[in-house]
Amino acid sequence: MSVMDLRGLNPAPVTAFTRDGAVDHKANADLARWLVSVKGVKSLVILGHAGEGTFLTSEEQLDLIRTYVDAVGKQVPIIAGITGEGTKVAALEAKRAADAGAIGALVYPNHGWLRFGFQKGAPQDRYKAIHEASGLQCILFQYPNVTKASYDLQTQVEIAAQPGVVATKNGVRDMKRWDTEIPVLRKEFPNLQILTCHDEWLLPTMFDVDGLLVGYGSLAPEPLVEYLAAAKARDYNAARAYHDRLLPVTKAVYHRGSHMEGTCALKLGLVARGKLEHATVRSPLMPLAAGAEKEIRDALAQAGLLSGSAKAA
């Protein structure tokens, strides 16, 4: 199997639910088809934080993978978030995802590591077991520096050297580490695809990457594709213009009390854009406070992302 080409926009879509809280497979398929219709979208990454993946049952997760695979065919690979605690649990989760049609795995750390940290060698073992059990192409997920699940450079290098690891999704949110570690990964692994996931402030990382793996991509794929193209062309002025155009949306979606609220805001934005009928979320997420819907709609209008009918709604 050829290596996934992630050198472009890789949206991490929200999961659409029915109003009574069940997974809405028709709405999810419609969202998938819209996203892959945007030239420059290279994959769809589901079952992560933006997609409320850990709030779904195992059966719902597998059914959602099948829905995405059926909706997009072979247009782009479907990448599944692998989040299970314990190496064996995660490996079995990955095997089931592969059997359902996923091509890639976005490998989350054991979430116990967020609080307690990880033992040397444990992350490497997690990636090895997942790839060997499933054959999925793995994305190294670098967590924020403020957590204890953020991998030191040597751990990143050792994971990147393992069979099946084809990319890294870096969300370190520490520019000192970014500017130190990304050049090392580039030098050591020229074919490793570098993806940023700094949804809330993309500009500082945009010029160093091959692609974006962002929840933002499910709301504003068209300008994000162009934004990345400007950065790859080393056109700072053009990239800055996209940053400034999108800044009202960035603030409305991501500059909130909790980054988790970004999923709620993305859904409201997709309603405003006419891509979802409603913004139902699943507990422990809660609907945003009154006024958020108008705030997000106004931001999208300011960024030129609403059609005439949507603006009038």
Side-chain angles (χ1 to χ4, degrees):
M1 182 183 295
S2 60
V3 172
M4 299 183 295
D5 177 10
L6 307 177
R7 296 174 176 86
L9 177 63
N10 303 278
V14 300
T15 296
F17 297 110
T18 63
R19 291 186 185 275
D20 62 2
V23 175
D24 188 333
H25 289 281
K26 180 182 182 303
N28 284 295
D30 289 344
L31 182 60
R33 283 189 286 265
W34 170 60
L35 289 171
V36 298
S37 75
V38 177
K39 186 177 181 180
V41 168
K42 293 303 186 83
S43 73
L44 296 177
V45 185
I46 62 174
L47 303 179
H49 290 141
E52 300 172 77
T54 56
F55 308 161
L56 306 184
T57 67
S58 296
E59 292 77 12
E60 288 174 327
Q61 291 173 346
L62 295 176
D63 285 344
L64 189 62
I65 292 171
R66 296 184 187 104
T67 292
Y68 266 79
V69 171
D70 289 345
V72 308
K74 297 185 182 297
Q75 294 178 78
V76 300
I78 301 303
I79 298 170
I82 303 301
T83 59
E85 287 288 289
T87 301
K88 182 175 181 179
V89 172
L92 291 172
E93 179 186 356
K95 176 65 166 59
R96 291 192 296 267
D99 291 344
I103 300 298
L106 176 59
V107 180
Y108 285 70
N110 281 337
H111 281 79
W113 295 345
L114 289 165
R115 179 179 178 189
F116 299 112
F118 56 88
Q119 293 172 285
K120 184 177 180 180
Q124 295 90 318
D125 187 53
R126 182 174 174 85
Y127 281 81
K128 180 176 184 289
I130 285 171
H131 178 63
E132 289 182 349
S134 68
L136 293 177
Q137 299 180 43
C138 295
I139 300 174
L140 163 58
F141 194 171
Q142 173 68 323
Y143 259 42
N145 192 41
V146 296
T147 74
K148 292 185 178 182
S150 187
Y151 303 137
D152 58 90
L153 179 56
Q154 185 60 36
T155 297
Q156 293 175 71
V157 167
E158 291 178 6
I159 293 172
Q162 294 184 179
V165 177
V166 303
T168 180
K169 172 186 176 180
N170 191 295
V172 70
R173 289 168 171 79
D174 180 327
M175 290 310 297
K176 290 188 293 183
R177 290 193 63 188
W178 177 277
D179 289 339
T180 300
E181 296 173 2
I182 294 299
V184 173
L185 291 171
R186 278 274 187 226
K187 181 179 179 181
E188 295 291 325
F189 307 100
N191 295 323
L192 184 73
Q193 298 170 86
I194 308 293
L195 312 174
T196 182
C197 66
H198 293 79
D199 300 75
E200 69 273 40
W201 29 277
L202 287 168
L203 189 64
T205 60
M206 186 72 84
F207 291 84
D208 299 326
V209 299
D210 300 301
L212 316 179
L213 200 171
V214 285
Y216 212 158
S218 68
L219 177 60
E222 311 94 333
L224 286 177
V225 166
E226 297 169 0
Y227 189 178
L228 179 61
K232 287 187 174 184
R234 294 295 186 266
D235 188 340
Y236 178 81
N237 289 334
R240 179 73 200 214
Y242 281 107
H243 167 274
D244 293 348
R245 172 187 167 189
L246 288 168
L247 187 57
V249 184
T250 306
K251 289 180 175 180
V253 173
Y254 291 108
H255 295 188
R256 311 194 74 87
S258 164
H259 195 76
M260 290 298 294
E261 293 181 3
T263 294
C264 310
L266 287 171
K267 288 189 173 184
L268 287 172
L270 286 164
V271 171
R273 293 204 66 184
K275 306 304 179 184
L276 292 180
E277 291 185 3
H278 53 89
T280 301
V281 293
R282 182 173 282 189
S283 180
L285 288 181
M286 305 293 290
L288 298 184
E293 183 174 1
K294 182 179 186 304
E295 173 194 2
I296 293 164
R297 178 181 291 276
D298 289 348
L300 288 165
Q302 188 175 345
L305 287 171
L306 296 188
S307 64
S309 59
K311 289 179 184 178

